[in-house]
Amino acid sequence: TSGIRLACTKRPISAETIDRIVGEIESDLQEVGKSEVPSHFVGNRVLHKLKELDDVAYIRYAIVYLQLNDIHQINEEISRLI
């Protein structure tokens, strides 16, 4: 949750919307039906939800999650959005 909140800082995204996204991701995890899921499953769900919600929040989260270490990698990810 803290990573999502950080990615959404100073964006027009309400706390309620963030809570809804977290709840949806938790529901997705429960539907899998396993006591443990790979971390990449959670990270990919967060990326998907943020991409639908706000491009800037998505890029902020993607930079950390996808370990985009230089401006060229970040630019490539932004180009995929456009």
Side-chain angles (χ1 to χ4, degrees):
T1 303
S2 62
I4 296 171
R5 289 191 192 286
L6 186 58
C8 295
T9 300
K10 296 188 180 183
R11 300 299 304 152
I13 302 167
S14 68
E16 292 81 17
T17 300
I18 294 170
D19 291 340
R20 178 183 51 82
I21 289 171
V22 170
E24 290 172 0
I25 294 169
E26 287 174 348
S27 293
D28 292 346
L29 295 175
Q30 290 173 354
E31 287 179 17
V32 171
K34 296 181 180 178
S35 60
E36 292 185 26
V37 295
S39 61
H40 69 85
F41 180 85
V42 177
N44 288 338
R45 294 304 302 153
V46 171
L47 281 175
H48 177 75
K49 296 289 184 183
L50 289 177
K51 191 173 187 179
E52 292 176 345
L53 181 66
D54 184 270
D55 290 342
V56 173
Y58 168 81
I59 288 296
R60 288 176 176 170
Y61 191 86
I63 287 170
V64 175
Y65 175 68
L66 299 175
Q67 299 177 351
L68 305 177
N69 295 321
D70 64 50
I71 195 70
H72 299 292
Q73 292 174 321
I74 296 167
N75 188 43
E76 287 176 17
E77 192 62 32
I78 291 171
S79 294
R80 278 192 269 276
L81 279 175
I82 300 172

